[in-house]
Structure formats: C-alpha cells, structure tokens
Amino acid sequence: MIDFVQSLRLWFAPQRIRDEGDTPDYRFSLANERTFLAWIRTALALVGGGFAVDQFLPDLRWAVRVGLSLALLGAGALCAVRAVNHWVRCERAMRRGEDLPVTTFPTLLSLTVAFVAVAMVVVVVLGLAGT
C-alpha cells in the first residue's frame, strides 16, 4: 500500500522520480514514454468507441447499447489510469536497477475488448435492434 501511495504522488510530481536510484539510459526512459503514449492512444480509442456505440447505434436495444458503451468507456478510463501508473512503476524500476513490473492488465483489457467485439457480432448476426 505504501508503494502505491508513493507511486500516486509521483503521478503529480514526476520530477521527484529523480530522487530514486540512478538515471537510466535516456533511450529507455523515452521508450517508456512512448509506451505510455501508446496506452493513452488506446484509452482514447476505447472512449471514442464507447461514444460511437451509444451515438451511432440508436436502433440497438437500450440495455445492449448502454452496456457495450459503458464497457468501452470503463476500459478506456482504466487504460488511461493504468498508463500513468505503469509509466511511474517502470521508471522507478529502471532507476533502481530492478526488473520491470509485470501486470495482468493487458490480458484484462484484451478480454474486455474481445467480449465487446463478440457481443457486437452477436448483435449484428441476430439483429437485436429495437428500443
């Protein structure tokens, strides 16, 4: 829990990361930043997909439309939060000379997107339109 609180503080004061360990090769820090930006792009795409389902598929049953939209919007929000947390954790690990942190988040995100995709296929194939 203490490690999480310290990581959370670094979200809003990233200059404090310099207090930990040694400065890694800049290429690694820049690669970590590119990974962060890729996660943010993914989060934006998920949020956009959530709005698209809600706005452009009005013929879907309300519960189906809202459920799929909320799944995508929630995944986008979690992805954005996870991006900054992962960036901080990786930067700290590199500075400390530790192994990079592992996470199951990519698996959870993939399963969420796959679930929404399968649900959309079912909706399209079965024609679950109607209000």
Side-chain angles (χ1 to χ4, degrees), residues 78-126:
L78 288 174
C79 191
V81 169
R82 184 67 182 112
V84 70
N85 187 49
H86 189 71
W87 174 82
V88 166
R89 290 176 62 212
C90 286
E91 198 65 30
R92 288 177 79 196
M94 288 188 296
R95 289 182 151 286
R96 294 175 174 178
E98 299 172 351
D99 289 338
L100 293 179
V102 295
T103 178
T104 58
F105 184 76
T107 302
L108 297 173
L109 182 63
S110 297
L111 290 174
T112 300
V113 171
F115 171 78
V116 171
V118 168
M120 290 301 295
V121 167
V122 169
V123 165
V124 169
V125 169
L126 297 180

Side-chain angles (χ1 to χ4, degrees), residues 35-88:
T35 302
F36 166 78
L37 293 172
W39 281 103
I40 292 297
R41 284 190 302 271
T42 302
L44 287 169
L46 289 165
V47 169
F51 279 115
V53 167
D54 184 55
Q55 294 298 309
F56 299 119
L57 299 174
D59 292 338
L60 286 181
R61 294 175 198 240
W62 181 85
V64 172
R65 189 178 77 241
V66 170
L68 294 174
S69 294
L70 289 177
L72 290 170
L73 291 168
L78 288 174
C79 191
V81 169
R82 184 67 182 112
V84 70
N85 187 49
H86 189 71
W87 174 82
V88 166

Side-chain angles (χ1 to χ4, degrees), residues 10 13-24 26 91-92 95:
L10 291 173
Q15 68 277 6
R16 293 181 62 197
I17 197 98
R18 293 184 181 132
D19 297 339
E20 301 205 22
D22 300 319
T23 302
Y26 290 107
E91 198 65 30
R92 288 177 79 196
R95 289 182 151 286

